[in-house]
Amino acid sequence: MITRNPYDRDDIKINRKNKVLEIGPGHNPTFRANVVVERFIDSNYHRCGDVKVYPHQTFINANGETLPFKNKEFDYVICNQVLEHVDNPIDFVHEQCRVAQRGYMETPSFLGEFLFPKKSHKWIILHIDNKLILFEKAKMPGNYENNYGELFLNYLPYQSLPYKLLWLTEGDLMLNRCEWKDNIEIIVNPTDEKYLSFFTQPWNREMVEQLFPRRSGIKEIEKMFGALYYIAKNKIKSKVHKHTPITLEEYMKLKK
């Protein structure tokens, strides 16, 4: 089940002795991962750059829908911006729950996909009722062609403090960020009107408040200061702990 919604993958709960797997890190692997799995090594269609790996990691070329690991071989699995690409999301999620006890799943949200879409994304994803609801992107009404990622991904997060605070305090506004234990409940192409309406109908106030529940003034202040603290902490951390991944070619030469 989904247990919490971290700020991002730097906010996840991993113990020092945990064995950590990462699925599909592409050009931006997580330093904490011990093993990384990448399916496509000869094409960047599904990512923004060439595959990168840290020297201490074990690299495996495999399909995330059929992982070559034993049951519960890992304590934790990280999956950042991958689920929206896969052909068979149920198999993909099942495999992570099979090989790991806990994990972190991040995807674009409904609004995030509208603002910075990618042609390689097959699914629109919402986090509702502690479930991930996936709807086939090809069936979505509306324009999912115009990409405003330069503004919302590459500019505002680095230039605007209010935007950073919005990104952190409103949780699922742009991204679905979920930490889970034992399993993740997902629904693919829902037929239940309760979920289907979010993808096919205009959002009314009741739907909006289900996704973004009202908060008290005190809670708003707590979330704002919590986000400010997290931004400051990560700024310091990034200056103290600097790690640079290497290309897959460099990694292969190093491991020979």
Side-chain angles (χ1 to χ4, degrees):
M1 66 174 180
I2 294 173
T3 56
R4 63 187 288 263
N5 302 108
Y7 285 125
D8 52 35
R9 61 176 167 161
D10 291 325
D11 185 37
I12 56 182
K13 306 293 185 182
I14 300 177
N15 296 328
R16 185 182 297 274
K17 294 183 179 180
N18 283 168
K19 185 178 181 182
V20 180
L21 169 69
E22 184 165 23
I23 307 293
H27 66 289
N28 187 25
T30 304
F31 182 79
R32 178 60 182 82
N34 306 106
V35 179
V36 296
V37 168
E38 188 68 46
R39 179 180 181 182
F40 302 105
I41 59 175
D42 298 320
S43 169
N44 289 339
Y45 176 69
H46 288 280
R47 54 181 176 261
C48 298
D50 295 338
V51 172
K52 299 273 183 79
V53 191
Y54 287 102
H56 72 278
Q57 295 175 329
T58 299
F59 178 84
I60 295 176
N61 181 204
N63 186 342
E65 296 172 16
T66 53
L67 293 170
F69 306 117
K70 295 181 292 186
N71 293 349
K72 305 305 179 187
E73 186 171 336
F74 296 89
D75 299 291
Y76 202 98
V77 57
I78 299 169
C79 183
N80 183 57
Q81 303 286 323
V82 184
L83 178 60
E84 63 275 12
H85 294 264
V86 304
D87 295 320
N88 302 296
I90 292 178
D91 292 343
F92 183 77
V93 169
H94 177 267
E95 277 294 89
Q96 291 180 58
C97 296
R98 180 184 67 81
V99 303
Q101 299 176 28
R102 301 184 300 118
Y104 173 73
M105 179 74 70
E106 178 177 313
T107 75
S109 70
F110 183 108
L111 293 177
E113 185 63 32
F114 185 82
L115 291 173
F116 32 88
K118 297 289 186 295
K119 290 184 178 180
S120 57
H121 292 180
K122 300 177 185 294
W123 305 96
I124 306 297
I125 305 173
L126 275 172
H127 178 200
I128 310 174
D129 293 341
N130 230 26
K131 305 177 183 71
L132 292 180
I133 316 296
L134 284 71
F135 192 79
E136 196 171 346
K137 186 177 175 181
K139 297 179 179 180
M140 284 293 298
N143 178 7
Y144 275 83
E145 294 296 328
N146 296 334
N147 191 332
Y148 308 104
E150 188 60 33
L151 174 63
F152 291 102
L153 289 177
N154 300 331
Y155 184 77
L156 287 178
Y158 303 97
Q159 299 295 327
S160 170
L161 179 58
Y163 182 77
K164 289 181 185 178
L165 290 174
L166 176 67
W167 188 281
L168 294 174
T169 57
E170 285 303 334
D172 292 347
L173 185 64
M174 301 292 185
L175 301 173
N176 302 306
R177 295 168 286 195
C178 306
E179 208 165 15
W180 58 269
K181 180 180 180 182
D182 297 330
N183 63 76
I184 312 172
E185 189 171 354
I186 72 167
I187 298 175
V188 177
N189 285 329
T191 56
D192 185 334
E193 188 62 27
K194 175 183 178 181
Y195 299 124
L196 180 62
S197 61
F198 280 94
F199 298 94
T200 60
Q201 303 296 327
W203 290 4
N204 57 34
R205 178 57 62 88
E206 182 181 353
M207 296 163 75
V208 168
E209 291 191 3
Q210 183 175 353
L211 295 176
F212 303 98
R214 293 175 182 266
R215 298 191 292 253
S216 68
I218 293 176
K219 190 65 176 178
E220 284 293 295
I221 293 171
E222 288 177 350
K223 290 187 75 69
M224 184 183 69
F225 280 102
L228 282 169
Y229 171 76
Y230 186 72
I231 291 171
K233 183 179 72 171
N234 272 13
K235 196 75 172 178
I236 295 171
K237 183 180 177 181
S238 66
K239 292 184 177 181
V240 175
H241 303 289
K242 292 185 178 181
H243 307 291
T244 304
I246 58 178
T247 66
L248 183 58
E249 183 179 1
E250 292 170 328
Y251 174 86
M252 292 303 186
K253 289 180 181 179
L254 187 66
K255 296 299 178 179
K256 283 184 179 180

